[in-house]
Amino acid sequence: MTRSLSACVLALAMATAAPVDPPLDFDASEYSARRQKLMAQIPDGFAVIQGSLAGPLNNEFIQNNEFIYLCGVKLPRAVLIVDGIHKESLLLYSASEAYLRNEGLSLDLLRDPRGATGVEKYYPADELTAVLTKLAAQAKVIYTPLTPEGSPQEVATNSDWDGRLTREHQLAAMLRQRFPDIEVRDCTHTLWDLRRIKTPAEVDVLRKASQISVQAMREVMAEARVGQYEYEISALFEYVCKRRGCRRVFDYNVIISSAENHPYLHYYRHNRRLVDGDFLVVDSGGDYRDYDSDITISFPVNGTFSPRQREIYEACNAVSKACLLYYQPGVTAYEVGEQVRRKLRDQGYDLSRDAFTSLRYFKEGGVTHYVGLATHDAGGSDKPKDRPLRAGEVFASDVFAVFPKENLGVRIENIVLITETGCENLSAGLPREISEIEALMKGARK
Ligand code: GLY
Ligand code: MN
């Protein structure tokens, strides 16, 4: 058999080319637009955002979310400066070819930093002092995020036995010392406010993360069996997510509660062997291109709801479904809760039953936390309940109840986008009705 020279060269190239991640998760213009929004809010100075140090997790480097949000570069010890005065950004990092190859990152980050990142100016990391000194000559304020999300805080500032400053507070202290005439101001909340309204590109990624998670949850329901260990279920969820393109699962591992563990809402030890009659709550989400989904399903491991499981699940599902009818811009979470209560009452539900009175987040219309680069995104686990919903917000719609004396818990959680006219359930496609769950489980057992 003969092959042309070019075919041989191509085959060799394909065999030897190491797979590399693109330098950025999104087009450079996406990050540039985000930086411009920040620039508009800091016309009197510039912002200094530190990248994380090397990550401890499986040796994989995890960049902090503020840094990822503004430039997408996942290199340790990088520094991004967003200059609100001159309306441009500067990126400082140094990386060896060996490091980039080891991380599977594009060598363009070394060969052509500006082309690869879209940031206007690039400097090697050791030029930080010179760069800051030049910029400080014209600035009134230096902004820096004091509590970046996803950056491990390994020091206990308030402890009598530690007292060290975090990297971020240390940077602020050094800036104040070296530039005493310039105010140094925390910009964490400015960044979180920007992150809370998702761009169309972010929504696409969150929809993808959610749809992968939906497929993984469907597999979990189909494959769960009496006699399995919880770790088998967690392995299946992770496998399906990774098989479909997720790098990892969300910030809380795969939460699986059953029996006596239902009250512990982030239980993830996966160490129970499932017995007939167990009711399972599985709560997780795939992380796709650094954006997390967060979905919860509840089902009986033997595939058939008992009367009590049915009663509680039906109440939870009725509330969860009704919430999706009322999410829209301009309405607060409490108002959604009120509308849902009215609707269910009109439909004839007896809301004084414990199946309803035990439901957490019923009053708040299921609105819990923002979702995005973090599972509990942009600063925490609670979205304000009295602030009107806004188009572009993505949050977890979550209703749950726990009955410790009955070894029972139920939880239904969806990921919801507020659109211009209402909402989109990004986690649509799950069997949520009891009949659908039982049919899926029965079909898988044939
Ligand atoms: N779904 C887990 C949590 O929101 O805490
Ligand atoms: Mn959640």
Side-chain angles (χ1 to χ4, degrees):
M1 193 175 84
T2 57
R3 297 167 83 187
S4 73
L5 182 61
S6 61
C8 287
V9 170
L10 183 64
L12 186 67
M14 287 173 71
T16 55
V20 291
D21 286 348
L24 308 175
D25 282 335
F26 297 104
D27 193 84
S29 60
E30 168 80 12
Y31 299 102
S32 170
R34 297 177 190 176
R35 291 192 297 271
Q36 279 166 23
K37 285 186 197 150
L38 176 59
M39 286 171 196
Q41 299 203 37
I42 55 169
D44 49 357
F46 60 90
V48 184
I49 292 100
Q50 298 185 102
S52 298
L53 300 172
L57 188 67
N58 294 333
N59 212 23
E60 182 179 351
F61 173 65
I62 306 285
Q63 185 62 282
N64 72 68
N65 288 337
E66 273 62 51
F67 205 91
I68 292 186
Y69 178 74
L70 289 172
C71 74
V73 172
K74 292 174 208 159
L75 289 173
R77 297 169 192 275
V79 177
L80 175 70
I81 297 175
V82 178
D83 182 350
I85 298 171
H86 303 98
K87 308 290 182 228
E88 61 180 12
S89 300
L90 302 78
L91 192 54
L92 296 96
Y93 63 77
S94 296
S96 66
E97 178 171 340
Y99 180 83
L100 294 177
R101 284 211 179 271
N102 198 56
E103 294 293 304
L105 290 172
S106 166
L107 293 184
D108 287 348
L109 287 163
L110 191 60
R111 295 185 195 124
D112 177 19
R114 271 171 292 182
T117 66
V119 177
E120 289 84 358
K121 290 185 172 163
Y122 162 79
Y123 300 88
D126 59 8
E127 292 187 26
L128 181 60
T129 303
V131 167
L132 288 176
T133 304
K134 192 163 170 216
L135 286 173
Q138 293 179 42
K140 290 197 177 70
V141 184
I142 302 177
Y143 298 85
T144 193
L146 291 181
T147 49
E149 196 177 65
S151 200
Q153 301 290 326
E154 284 153 354
V155 300
T157 305
N158 298 326
S159 161
D160 285 349
W161 293 93
D162 185 334
R164 290 171 296 163
L165 297 178
T166 62
R167 276 183 83 220
E168 293 72 30
H169 280 92
Q170 177 65 20
L171 175 70
M174 296 287 284
L175 289 168
R176 288 189 180 108
Q177 189 190 84
R178 293 187 182 175
F179 307 112
D181 299 333
I182 304 179
E183 183 190 349
V184 176
R185 205 181 290 168
D186 183 13
C187 65
T188 307
H189 289 274
T190 308
L191 291 171
W192 288 349
D193 282 346
L194 293 175
R195 284 176 46 196
R196 285 172 183 157
I197 302 294
K198 267 56 182 184
T199 65
E202 288 179 294
V203 169
D204 283 348
V205 168
L206 279 162
R207 190 183 289 110
K208 175 94 177 172
S210 297
Q211 283 305 306
I212 291 173
S213 308
V214 164
Q215 290 308 318
M217 288 296 187
R218 292 182 71 97
E219 292 283 333
V220 161
M221 274 190 201
E223 295 301 321
R225 296 284 186 282
V226 169
Q228 276 176 348
Y229 277 93
E230 290 167 341
Y231 56 71
E232 296 174 67
I233 290 173
S234 121
L236 176 62
F237 182 84
E238 263 195 65
Y239 172 75
V240 177
C241 285
K242 288 187 175 177
R243 196 75 214 268
R244 289 172 178 263
C246 289
R247 181 103 187 112
R248 59 184 82 83
V249 297
F250 79 179
D251 297 338
Y252 302 95
N253 205 322
V254 181
I255 298 167
I256 303 179
S257 323
S258 58
E260 69 272 17
N261 297 322
H262 278 298
Y264 311 107
L265 299 175
H266 284 177
Y267 191 81
Y268 68 96
R269 298 310 296 183
H270 309 148
N271 52 1
R272 269 197 79 247
R273 192 168 189 191
L274 302 171
V275 298
D276 198 14
D278 274 345
F279 198 74
L280 238 61
V281 169
V282 182
D283 175 354
S284 196
D287 174 319
Y288 184 75
R289 295 207 205 158
D290 294 314
Y291 284 75
D292 288 358
S293 188
D294 181 6
I295 295 175
T296 307
I297 58 171
S298 310
F299 62 98
V301 71
N302 64 14
T304 306
F305 285 72
S306 72
R308 180 65 170 156
Q309 290 166 359
R310 179 176 287 271
E311 180 192 8
I312 293 167
Y313 184 91
E314 267 177 356
C316 188
N317 193 37
V319 172
S320 175
K321 265 195 315 188
C323 289
L324 293 170
L325 299 174
Y326 297 113
Y327 296 137
Q328 60 173 310
V331 174
T332 70
Y334 288 128
E335 286 165 354
V336 172
E338 266 310 304
Q339 286 170 310
V340 169
R341 186 167 292 278
R342 230 174 288 135
K343 172 153 188 92
L344 295 184
R345 229 183 254 135
D346 290 350
Q347 287 180 335
Y349 285 100
D350 174 4
L351 302 185
S352 67
R353 280 165 34 211
D354 71 342
F356 284 103
T357 57
S358 305
L359 282 177
R360 298 271 315 273
Y361 291 103
F362 182 176
K363 194 171 70 169
E364 295 87 349
V367 175
T368 52
H369 54 87
Y370 296 100
V371 176
L373 283 164
T375 308
H376 291 188
D377 196 47
S381 56
D382 263 329
K383 188 185 175 315
K385 310 295 188 254
D386 48 5
R387 208 163 75 187
L389 301 171
R390 296 174 296 171
E393 289 184 342
V394 177
F395 61 90
S397 167
D398 186 5
V399 190
F400 63 91
V402 177
F403 300 86
K405 289 191 189 131
E406 301 175 63
N407 272 357
L408 189 54
V410 52
R411 185 166 196 165
I412 295 180
E413 185 175 22
N414 287 307
I415 296 302
V416 172
L417 162 73
I418 299 296
T419 62
E420 294 297 332
T421 53
C423 75
E424 177 186 341
N425 179 6
L426 299 181
S427 51
L430 280 166
R432 289 299 198 189
E433 300 300 326
I434 290 178
S435 57
E436 294 170 338
I437 295 171
E438 289 187 341
L440 186 150
M441 295 184 75
K442 200 166 166 200
R445 281 159 175 71
K446 273 186 185 147

